[in-house]
Amino acid sequence: MSLKKRLQQNEIVIAPGVYDGLTASLAEAAGFEALYLSGAAVAYTRLGRPDIGLSSFTEMADTMALIADRTNLPVIIDADTGFGNALNAQRTMRLYERAGATALQVEDQTYPKRCGHLADKSLISAAEMAGKVRAMADARASEETLIIARTDAIAVEGFQAAIDRAGAYLEAGADILFIEAPQSREQLTEVATQFSGRVPLLANMVEGGATPISGASDLEAQGFSIVIFPGGIVRALAKTAQEYYASLRANGSNRPFKDRMFDFDGLNGVIGTADMLAKGSSYDPSDR
């Protein structure tokens, strides 16, 4: 089922963050229906750097293509600001779509952007952002490819400005609205009051971020259609990796950590090594 059709159902879509083929396959095996590839996750894992606009759109597209090679689940991809003006946003749309993305999230920050839960952001005009949304709509090859318009205006211009901007982006052709970093449950509720029933709404849950953490069922009851957990897997794995390396350095062996990791056969079982080898043999005439 395409994400566009799935969003016609009432049940909220939970899209966990992934950053490569392994995390995508693990999320799929856990039963999720859609995935989220954030620029932050790519910056954290590929660059070892913060989410301050350092990831390039080619690095994102390369990562998207590897994920699409591993799973058929719909993937929402972070398009940042479109990486420039409206023409750049069109190129981003074409490249991401060819790489296998199902939905592109574009935001109204200036470039280089920064994480929506960091301070000192700045915005382009609402009119310029609306132009990017229209340009991306004109560039997409399939109507099944969705445009998610994100505004970061709450932290810069205030809550009402964010509502106004979101409305303008909806008129410009956005398929989904994403009002970033509401600062209270009341603001989340007001976002849903303004737009639920008119357009699918996306909520972003960031551990330690500006928005109070809410569960998927609670957000669904408020009127949200998608909830993303973009960086949770990186935070979980980074903590585990830090503890693993500290243990290995202190003990000179993985034995003290063995109950917290897969062994060789365990990991091969998770990634399907035996099945792939058997499939490869079925195409090899020497094995017949």
Side-chain angles (χ1 to χ4, degrees), residues 84-245:
N85 63 17
L87 295 179
N88 296 111
Q90 285 192 321
R91 184 167 183 239
T92 300
M93 168 60 82
R94 290 191 292 267
L95 190 62
Y96 281 13
E97 198 173 20
R98 286 198 297 269
T102 299
L104 278 69
Q105 172 202 303
V106 62
E107 64 201 54
D108 57 7
Q109 285 193 50
T110 57
Y111 189 80
K113 55 75 56 88
R114 60 178 59 198
C115 171
H117 292 258
L118 290 175
D120 299 325
K121 298 177 287 185
S122 59
L123 307 179
I124 62 174
S125 70
E128 182 179 352
M129 175 63 176
K132 288 186 185 183
V133 172
R134 289 195 301 272
M136 292 173 73
D138 287 343
R140 61 185 164 191
S142 170
E143 291 300 317
E144 295 293 316
T145 304
L146 304 179
I147 299 169
I148 303 173
R150 165 177 148 179
T151 179
D152 286 71
I154 290 178
V156 181
E157 299 175 345
F159 183 76
Q160 186 55 52
I163 295 295
D164 294 342
R165 280 176 172 262
Y169 307 158
L170 178 58
E171 290 181 6
D175 302 294
I176 300 167
L177 291 181
F178 173 11
I179 298 178
E180 175 66 299
Q183 297 170 357
S184 65
R185 179 180 176 82
E186 289 72 25
Q187 287 189 351
L188 279 168
T189 300
E190 183 60 23
V191 168
T193 298
Q194 293 286 334
F195 295 107
S196 181
R198 297 170 56 193
V199 63
L201 295 172
L202 183 149
N204 181 19
M205 295 292 107
V206 176
E207 302 81 8
T211 304
I213 296 294
S214 299
S217 59
D218 185 20
L219 290 164
E220 179 184 312
Q222 291 184 69
F224 287 87
S225 301
I226 306 173
V227 56
I228 60 172
F229 295 84
I233 185 60
V234 181
R235 282 184 278 278
L237 290 177
K239 181 172 172 55
T240 300
Q242 188 180 62
E243 294 169 354
Y244 164 78
Y245 288 126

Side-chain angles (χ1 to χ4, degrees), residues 39-44 47-55 113-115 118:
V42 172
Y44 297 156
L47 310 182
R49 298 293 186 183
D51 181 20
I52 52 174
L54 298 175
S55 301
K113 55 75 56 88
R114 60 178 59 198
C115 171
L118 290 175

Side-chain angles (χ1 to χ4, degrees), residues 262-271:
F262 288 116
D263 65 9
F264 182 77
D265 289 337
L267 182 58
N268 277 309
V270 167
I271 61 178

Side-chain angles (χ1 to χ4, degrees), residues 22-47:
L22 176 61
T23 51
S25 67
L26 292 172
E28 181 177 31
F32 290 101
E33 301 175 88
L35 307 174
Y36 183 82
L37 175 61
S38 73
V42 172
Y44 297 156
T45 59
R46 293 191 66 174
L47 310 182

